[in-house]
Amino acid sequence: NDTKLPAFGVKLLIKDAKFQYPSLPKSATNIQVDLVVDNKTGDPDATVVDLNKFHVELGGNPIDATMHLTTPVSDANINAAVLAKINLASMKDVVPMEKGDDLNGMIVADVKMKGRMSAIEKEKYEEFDASGSLAITDMNYKTASLSYPTQINKLTLLFNPKTVDLSEFDAKIGKSDIQLQGKIE
């Protein structure tokens, strides 16, 4: 009905998988997934999501993630981590792109977060633990659907429990240069 589902459970276990588009030279390899979604009562808020392991190497670019999520409806309680190092130029060797599209640059992410969404909603940021960094360097994106290219020379975000620090942002969107620094406390 409108407020209750049947009890359900899903277990997904993928070991040593890979895929490759026939027309592209590189593949996604070493795919590992250990995912359990469980709801014993049918109450949507009783759903528990455990992504115990997610790993993929996209043309040699490793991406790892974990997540534990409870009470997703009333007050999501999350404990998650992402670790990735992606050379965007090699992505076009793994995943097809539209004709005229081009993508280059590096993304390096090492981010962890733990806490309840209510802490963010109530601006009690010290109760939501976030740490790590996200860096983008020398990213160029061109697509036929946009009349201008986008270039991010450098973007660095640093996360800690008290702040999100935009320590560097140097970009060019079309003919407009943008440089920013800042901190959200």
Side-chain angles (χ1 to χ4, degrees):
N1 61 35
D2 291 340
T3 59
K4 192 164 183 169
L5 302 167
F8 63 90
V10 175
K11 291 183 181 181
L12 175 64
L13 186 61
I14 300 171
K15 288 186 176 183
D16 303 321
K18 76 176 217 170
F19 71 85
Q20 181 171 1
Y21 287 91
S23 61
L24 297 177
K26 293 185 180 178
S27 59
T29 60
N30 196 15
I31 301 170
Q32 314 289 329
V33 178
D34 179 355
L35 173 68
V36 177
V37 180
D38 192 32
N39 185 306
K40 292 181 178 17
T41 66
D43 176 0
D45 207 31
T47 304
V48 176
V49 179
D50 277 311
L51 179 60
N52 298 305
K53 182 175 190 174
F54 175 85
H55 176 82
V56 64
E57 295 168 19
L58 296 171
N61 297 283
I63 302 170
D64 289 282
T66 60
M67 181 181 69
H68 177 75
L69 174 69
T70 60
T71 60
V73 177
S74 65
D75 186 11
N77 186 14
I78 188 167
N79 184 352
V82 176
L83 183 63
K85 186 173 184 181
I86 304 167
N87 179 340
L88 295 171
S90 68
M91 296 311 294
K92 58 189 159 214
D93 292 336
V94 179
V95 180
M97 296 181 73
E98 295 292 323
K99 186 177 180 180
D101 288 3
D102 194 25
L103 183 62
N104 293 294
M106 287 292 297
I107 297 176
V108 178
D110 184 358
V111 178
K112 294 178 180 137
M113 62 184 86
K114 183 177 182 180
R116 293 191 169 275
M117 287 303 296
S118 61
I120 294 171
E121 291 165 356
K122 295 175 183 174
E123 298 181 11
K124 294 181 177 182
Y125 303 114
E126 67 280 357
E127 294 178 11
F128 192 92
D129 186 19
S131 62
S133 63
L134 171 68
I136 299 173
T137 54
D138 300 323
M139 184 179 131
N140 291 300
Y141 177 59
K142 295 177 187 170
T143 178
S145 62
L146 284 176
S147 60
Y148 51 84
T150 300
Q151 177 180 341
I152 298 175
N153 297 317
K154 194 152 197 170
L155 178 141
T156 305
L157 286 171
L158 304 173
F159 301 90
N160 67 59
K162 295 189 179 202
T163 64
V164 176
D165 186 8
L166 176 61
S167 63
E168 294 180 274
F169 182 71
D170 178 16
K172 187 172 186 176
I173 299 173
K175 295 181 181 179
S176 300
D177 294 326
I178 302 169
Q179 287 85 31
L180 298 170
Q181 287 182 320
K183 186 179 288 191
I184 300 171
E185 296 183 359

